[in-house]
Amino acid sequence: MTVVHLVRHGEVHNPQGVLYGRRPGYHLSDLGRKMADRVAEHLEKRDITHVVASPLERAQETAAPVATSHGLDVAVDERLIEAANVFEGKTFGVGDGALRKPDNWKHLTNPFKPSWGEPYIEQVVRMMGALDAARDAARGHEAVCVSHQLPIWIVRSFVERRRLWHDPRRRQCTLASLTSFTYQGDKIVSVGYTEPAVDLVPPHLRAGAKPVKGKSKAFGA
């Protein structure tokens, strides 16, 4: 049995409220660092033998406390990176962001692919590859992979045989949450979900929260 924990990074310092996507230079906020520490505490007694993260700063910084507590280094896997999105660098709040601008509407024609970013099926392929690589690196033990909300939710949806297109408000993937895949040999036999830092997560960023004008869940990806 091998367990691979897909961890979403903690809160990011982003006072402008932009969709930062794959852009460099976005680090954890002070609260986000507390979330990362909470994840490390939650996993402190687990049999973690491999820690890997997206190359983006917020993922690396979330992985660091987990790796430190187990005496490991943080490896990098480009496949764990955030999904590409044409709205990177733009504000995306409810009623005050990119969706109000007609020039952007052409990117919203196909929610099934989706037309505004990296196709869902491509996310599945790369994330399954990253999961399998982590499984192999920690076979018989446990691995931690730090990634981002959308890729985590998409690969979970694929494994649980749900459709890939979805309402973003219904993603069960809160900041600093763990989506855990248990393998028997090479086969995934169960998926679990935990939120060790949920009390630190702002209410509007929790799974299932209603949108608040001026506060978007999108840029916390």
Side-chain angles (χ1 to χ4, degrees), residues 200-215:
L200 300 177
V201 178
H204 73 282
L205 293 178
R206 295 178 186 175
K210 294 182 179 180
V212 177
K213 186 173 183 179
K215 293 183 178 181

Side-chain angles (χ1 to χ4, degrees), residues 27 39 91:
H27 298 266
V39 171
T91 59

Side-chain angles (χ1 to χ4, degrees), residues 165-185:
W165 61 273
H166 61 283
D167 182 343
R169 297 169 296 182
R170 297 186 179 276
R171 294 173 189 160
Q172 189 184 41
C173 191
T174 300
L175 289 165
S177 62
L178 282 71
T179 302
S180 302
F181 299 81
T182 299
Y183 288 81
Q184 185 170 10

Side-chain angles (χ1 to χ4, degrees), residues 25 38 71 93 140 218-220:
R38 182 73 64 82
F219 58 75

